[in-house]
Amino acid sequence: MTTQSQGLHTHVLDTLGLEISSGRFPPGSVLRTDELAQRFDVSRTVVREVVRVLESMHLVESRRRVGVTVRPTETWNVYDPQVIRWRLAGADRPRQLRSLTVLRSAIEPVAASLAARHATAEQCAELTERALGMVATSRGQQLEGYLEHDIAFHRIVLNASGNEMFARLGDVVAEVLAGRTHHQVMFEDPDPAAVTLHVRLAEAVREGDPEAAERITKEIAVGALHELDVLAP
């Protein structure tokens, strides 16, 4: 695929993904390949490639003589990072953020407890480095810099758990954190208490204290839910 084709593919995919996830094309809607090619001024090959990606996410299904049909929302791969990104860009953002944050609150405390048992010296050092990075970028409206450290911090915790299922949720958590930042569901500067809790979590993991790691992570989750109550009720 040429660079130009890739650009067209990305544009069509993002546009349709956003339209489907936002409800512009509700479940049962039928999209015609020829009409899509005409609308976006692209080849049918590009449209077919886009449809294949949407099918892999279970957003649509394609049938001969019928067209491309939008599937029921309960069949969607809601853990796919792109699907999360599209849904967070829509009007249903508050509910999506809450749903994903509740998921995190169920998983990350257990992952942190396991990380305190299994983290390597290198992972502990990386966790401390990222926590200090969060402190350094927590003032002066440096939200993009803070986000980079925040995402890396939580990826390390999930990876250090030693559980490959938890580790695979790193992209999900990254999209939640990025969505909060990019859609202004964050204070201009992060909550100082939350920043401190991340530092304490890094210490608990480094000290091999699973109970403290789990407890602190639960506090982080409670704080995140409280922020949503204030900023995205």
Side-chain angles (χ1 to χ4, degrees):
M1 188 180 293
T2 66
T3 301
Q4 183 180 12
S5 296
Q6 287 177 331
L8 291 171
H9 177 278
T10 300
H11 170 66
V12 177
L13 178 61
D14 277 339
T15 302
L16 287 178
L18 283 165
E19 290 176 343
I20 292 169
S21 61
S22 69
R24 177 178 174 183
F25 294 120
S29 299
V30 177
L31 310 176
R32 308 289 182 186
T33 301
D34 289 345
E35 292 174 1
L36 292 173
Q38 184 176 11
R39 173 190 169 188
F40 292 103
D41 192 22
V42 297
S43 68
R44 282 180 292 180
T45 300
V46 169
V47 173
R48 283 194 292 268
E49 288 294 329
V50 167
V51 169
R52 274 196 280 270
V53 175
L54 294 174
E55 282 182 311
S56 73
M57 300 172 176
H58 300 169
L59 267 64
V60 303
E61 59 181 349
S62 182
R63 293 182 181 176
R64 286 180 179 275
R65 302 187 184 87
V66 175
V68 180
T69 305
V70 178
R71 299 184 65 180
T73 54
E74 57 265 25
T75 70
W76 296 359
N77 181 4
V78 293
Y79 290 102
D80 186 289
Q82 276 191 293
V83 175
I84 292 172
R85 195 176 312 137
W86 291 331
R87 298 182 87 185
L88 289 179
D92 201 27
R93 182 182 307 125
R95 190 178 70 84
Q96 289 301 313
L97 279 172
R98 183 166 298 280
S99 176
L100 290 161
T101 303
V102 169
L103 173 69
R104 289 181 58 202
S105 71
I107 290 170
E108 289 195 275
V110 179
S113 176
L114 291 171
R117 293 182 173 91
H118 303 302
T120 65
E122 181 180 2
Q123 287 171 326
C124 289
E126 290 176 353
L127 204 58
T128 299
E129 180 182 348
R130 290 300 184 174
L132 293 176
M134 292 173 72
V135 172
T137 54
S138 63
R139 288 291 172 267
Q141 298 179 29
Q142 303 180 68
L143 287 182
E144 285 298 329
Y146 183 87
L147 174 64
E148 178 184 343
H149 292 295
D150 197 11
I151 288 174
F153 183 97
H154 288 277
R155 282 191 188 278
I156 295 166
V157 171
L158 292 167
N159 289 332
S161 72
N163 183 301
E164 71 275 14
M165 302 299 288
F166 287 169
R168 288 296 298 274
L169 290 172
D171 288 342
V172 172
V173 173
E175 289 298 335
V176 178
L177 295 174
R180 287 172 53 197
T181 300
H182 297 152
H183 296 294
Q184 290 80 51
V185 192
M186 283 276 289
F187 297 113
E188 289 186 348
D189 284 328
D191 179 12
V195 178
T196 300
L197 285 173
H198 283 78
V199 175
R200 288 176 53 201
L201 175 55
E203 292 172 351
V205 172
R206 186 175 66 249
E207 293 169 1
D209 188 339
E211 289 78 15
E214 183 170 354
R215 183 180 65 254
I216 293 166
T217 309
K218 286 180 179 177
E219 289 184 56
I220 292 173
V222 169
L225 285 168
H226 176 67
E227 277 195 11
L228 291 181
D229 288 338
V230 174
L231 298 171

